[in-house]
Coordinates of all heavy atoms in Angstrom, one line a residue:
L1 N 14.2 77.7 -69.8 CA 13.1 77.1 -70.6 C 11.7 77.7 -70.1 O 10.9 77.8 -71.0 CB 13.1 75.5 -70.3 CG 14.2 74.8 -70.9 CD1 14.1 73.2 -70.5 CD2 14.2 74.8 -72.5
A2 N 11.6 78.0 -68.9 CA 10.3 78.7 -68.5 C 10.1 80.0 -69.1 O 9.0 80.5 -69.3 CB 10.3 78.7 -66.9
H3 N 11.3 80.7 -69.4 CA 11.2 82.0 -69.9 C 11.4 82.0 -71.5 O 11.4 83.0 -72.1 CB 12.3 83.0 -69.4 CG 12.0 83.3 -67.9 ND1 12.5 82.5 -66.8 CD2 11.4 84.3 -67.4 CE1 12.2 83.1 -65.7 NE2 11.5 84.2 -66.0
G4 N 11.5 80.8 -72.0 CA 11.6 80.6 -73.5 C 12.9 81.1 -74.0 O 13.0 81.5 -75.3
T5 N 14.0 81.1 -73.3 CA 15.4 81.5 -73.8 C 16.3 80.5 -73.5 O 16.2 79.7 -72.4 CB 15.7 82.8 -73.2 OG1 15.8 82.7 -71.7 CG2 14.8 84.0 -73.6
L6 N 17.4 80.3 -74.3 CA 18.5 79.4 -74.1 C 19.8 80.1 -74.3 O 19.8 81.1 -75.1 CB 18.4 78.1 -74.9 CG 17.4 77.2 -74.6 CD1 17.3 76.1 -75.7 CD2 17.6 76.5 -73.3
P7 N 20.9 79.8 -73.6 CA 22.1 80.4 -73.9 C 22.7 80.1 -75.2 O 22.3 79.1 -75.8 CB 23.1 79.9 -72.7 CG 22.4 78.6 -72.4 CD 21.0 78.8 -72.5
A8 N 23.5 81.0 -75.7 CA 24.1 80.8 -77.0 C 25.0 79.5 -77.1 O 25.6 79.1 -76.1 CB 25.1 82.0 -77.3
G9 N 24.8 78.8 -78.1 CA 25.5 77.5 -78.3 C 24.8 76.3 -77.8 O 25.3 75.2 -77.9
M10 N 23.6 76.5 -77.2 CA 22.8 75.3 -76.8 C 21.7 75.1 -77.7 O 20.8 75.9 -77.9 CB 22.3 75.7 -75.4 CG 21.6 74.4 -74.8 SD 21.4 74.5 -72.9 CE 21.0 72.8 -72.5
G11 N 21.7 73.8 -78.3 CA 20.7 73.5 -79.3 C 20.0 72.2 -78.9 O 20.0 71.7 -77.8
A12 N 19.4 71.6 -79.9 CA 18.5 70.4 -79.7 C 19.4 69.2 -79.2 O 19.0 68.4 -78.4 CB 17.8 70.1 -81.0
I13 N 20.6 69.1 -79.8 CA 21.5 68.1 -79.4 C 21.8 68.1 -77.9 O 21.8 67.1 -77.2 CB 22.8 68.1 -80.2 CG1 22.5 67.7 -81.7 CG2 23.8 67.0 -79.7 CD1 23.7 67.8 -82.5
H14 N 22.1 69.3 -77.4 CA 22.4 69.5 -75.9 C 21.2 69.1 -75.1 O 21.4 68.5 -74.0 CB 22.9 70.9 -75.7 CG 24.1 71.3 -76.5 ND1 24.1 71.8 -77.7 CD2 25.4 71.2 -76.0 CE1 25.3 72.1 -78.1 NE2 26.2 71.6 -77.1
L15 N 20.0 69.5 -75.5 CA 18.8 69.2 -74.7 C 18.6 67.7 -74.8 O 18.1 67.2 -73.8 CB 17.6 70.0 -75.3 CG 17.6 71.5 -75.2 CD1 16.4 72.1 -75.9 CD2 17.6 71.9 -73.6
G16 N 18.9 67.1 -76.0 CA 18.7 65.7 -76.1 C 19.6 64.9 -75.1 O 19.2 63.9 -74.5
L17 N 20.8 65.4 -74.9 CA 21.8 64.8 -74.0 C 21.3 64.9 -72.5 O 21.4 64.0 -71.7 CB 23.2 65.5 -74.1 CG 24.0 65.1 -75.3 CD1 25.2 66.0 -75.5 CD2 24.4 63.6 -75.3
V18 N 20.7 66.1 -72.2 CA 20.1 66.2 -70.9 C 19.0 65.2 -70.7 O 18.9 64.6 -69.6 CB 19.6 67.6 -70.7 CG1 18.9 67.8 -69.3 CG2 20.8 68.6 -70.7
G19 N 18.2 65.0 -71.8 CA 17.1 64.0 -71.7 C 17.6 62.6 -71.6 O 17.0 61.8 -70.8
V20 N 18.7 62.3 -72.2 CA 19.3 61.0 -72.0 C 19.7 60.8 -70.6 O 19.5 59.7 -70.1 CB 20.6 60.9 -72.9 CG1 21.4 59.6 -72.6 CG2 20.1 60.7 -74.4
G21 N 20.3 61.8 -69.9 CA 20.6 61.6 -68.6 C 19.4 61.3 -67.7 O 19.4 60.5 -66.8
F22 N 18.3 62.1 -67.9 CA 17.1 61.8 -67.2 C 16.5 60.4 -67.5 O 16.0 59.8 -66.7 CB 16.1 62.9 -67.5 CG 16.2 64.1 -66.6 CD1 16.7 65.4 -67.3 CD2 16.0 64.2 -65.4 CE1 16.8 66.5 -66.5 CE2 16.2 65.4 -64.5 CZ 16.6 66.5 -65.2
G23 N 16.7 60.0 -68.8 CA 16.3 58.7 -69.2 C 17.0 57.5 -68.4 O 16.4 56.7 -68.0
I24 N 18.3 57.7 -68.3 CA 19.1 56.7 -67.6 C 18.7 56.7 -66.1 O 18.4 55.6 -65.5 CB 20.5 57.0 -67.6 CG1 21.1 56.9 -69.0 CG2 21.4 56.2 -66.7 CD1 22.5 57.4 -69.2
G25 N 18.4 57.8 -65.5 CA 17.8 57.8 -64.2 C 16.5 57.2 -64.0 O 16.2 56.4 -63.1
A26 N 15.6 57.4 -65.1 CA 14.3 56.8 -65.1 C 14.4 55.3 -65.2 O 13.6 54.5 -64.6 CB 13.5 57.4 -66.2
V27 N 15.3 54.9 -66.0 CA 15.5 53.4 -66.3 C 16.0 52.7 -65.0 O 15.5 51.7 -64.5 CB 16.4 53.1 -67.4 CG1 16.9 51.7 -67.4 CG2 15.9 53.5 -68.7
L28 N 17.0 53.3 -64.3 CA 17.5 52.8 -63.1 C 16.5 52.8 -62.0 O 16.2 51.7 -61.3 CB 18.7 53.5 -62.6 CG 20.0 53.5 -63.5 CD1 21.1 54.4 -63.0 CD2 20.5 52.0 -63.5
L29 N 15.7 53.9 -61.8 CA 14.7 53.9 -60.8 C 13.5 52.9 -61.1 O 13.0 52.2 -60.3 CB 14.1 55.3 -60.8 CG 12.9 55.5 -59.7 CD1 13.4 55.2 -58.3 CD2 12.4 57.0 -59.8
G30 N 13.2 52.9 -62.4 CA 12.1 52.0 -62.9 C 12.5 50.4 -62.6 O 11.6 49.7 -62.1
T31 N 13.7 50.1 -62.9 CA 14.1 48.7 -62.7 C 14.2 48.4 -61.2 O 13.9 47.2 -60.8 CB 15.4 48.4 -63.4 OG1 16.4 49.4 -62.9 CG2 15.4 48.4 -64.9
T32 N 14.6 49.4 -60.4 CA 14.6 49.1 -59.0 C 13.3 48.9 -58.5 O 13.1 48.0 -57.6 CB 15.3 50.3 -58.2 OG1 16.6 50.5 -58.7 CG2 15.3 50.2 -56.8
V33 N 12.3 49.7 -58.9 CA 10.9 49.6 -58.5 C 10.3 48.3 -58.9 O 9.7 47.6 -58.2 CB 10.1 50.7 -59.0 CG1 8.6 50.5 -58.6 CG2 10.5 52.1 -58.3
R34 N 10.6 47.9 -60.2 CA 10.1 46.6 -60.7 C 10.7 45.5 -59.9 O 10.1 44.5 -59.6 CB 10.4 46.5 -62.1 CG 9.5 47.4 -63.0 CD 9.5 46.9 -64.4 NE 10.8 46.9 -65.1 CZ 11.3 47.9 -65.6 NH1 10.7 49.1 -65.6 NH2 12.5 47.9 -66.1
S35 N 12.1 45.5 -59.6 CA 12.7 44.4 -58.9 C 12.1 44.3 -57.5 O 11.9 43.1 -57.0 CB 14.2 44.7 -58.8 OG 14.8 44.8 -60.1
L36 N 11.9 45.4 -56.8 CA 11.2 45.4 -55.5 C 9.8 44.9 -55.5 O 9.5 44.1 -54.7 CB 11.3 46.9 -54.9 CG 10.6 47.0 -53.6 CD1 11.4 46.2 -52.5 CD2 10.6 48.5 -53.2
H37 N 9.2 45.3 -56.5 CA 7.7 44.8 -56.6 C 7.7 43.3 -56.8 O 6.9 42.6 -56.3 CB 7.0 45.5 -57.8 CG 5.7 45.0 -58.1 ND1 4.5 45.2 -57.3 CD2 5.1 44.3 -59.2 CE1 3.5 44.6 -57.7 NE2 3.8 44.1 -58.8
A38 N 8.6 42.7 -57.8 CA 8.7 41.3 -58.1 C 9.1 40.6 -56.8 O 8.5 39.5 -56.5 CB 9.8 41.1 -59.2
A39 N 10.0 41.1 -56.1 CA 10.4 40.4 -54.8 C 9.3 40.3 -53.8 O 9.1 39.4 -53.2 CB 11.7 41.1 -54.2
V40 N 8.7 41.6 -53.6 CA 7.5 41.5 -52.6 C 6.4 40.6 -53.1 O 5.8 39.9 -52.2 CB 7.0 43.0 -52.5 CG1 5.7 43.0 -51.6 CG2 8.1 43.9 -51.8
R41 N 6.2 40.6 -54.3 CA 5.0 39.7 -54.8 C 5.4 38.3 -54.6 O 4.6 37.4 -54.2 CB 4.8 40.0 -56.4 CG 3.6 39.2 -56.9 CD 3.3 39.8 -58.3 NE 4.5 39.6 -59.1 CZ 4.6 40.1 -60.4 NH1 3.6 40.7 -60.9 NH2 5.7 39.9 -61.1
A42 N 6.6 37.9 -54.9 CA 7.1 36.5 -54.7 C 7.0 36.1 -53.2 O 6.6 35.0 -52.8 CB 8.4 36.3 -55.3
Q43 N 7.5 37.1 -52.4 CA 7.5 36.8 -50.9 C 6.1 36.7 -50.4 O 5.8 35.9 -49.7 CB 8.2 37.9 -50.2 CG 9.7 37.9 -50.5 CD 10.3 39.3 -50.2 OE1 9.6 40.1 -49.6 NE2 11.6 39.5 -50.4
R44 N 5.2 37.5 -50.9 CA 3.8 37.4 -50.5 C 3.1 36.1 -50.9 O 2.5 35.4 -50.1 CB 3.0 38.5 -51.0 CG 1.5 38.6 -50.6 CD 0.7 39.7 -51.2 NE 1.3 41.1 -50.9 CZ 1.8 41.9 -51.9 NH1 1.7 41.5 -53.1 NH2 2.3 43.0 -51.5

């Protein structure tokens, strides 16, 4: 991607699937952070 080239057979759908994977990771990390923040706030 930095060089502006992609291997043959890789298109927008494939890039979208990679994005979905990162999105799942972001959701899991985000909910963990929010859960921790909510717990710390309630404890405080």
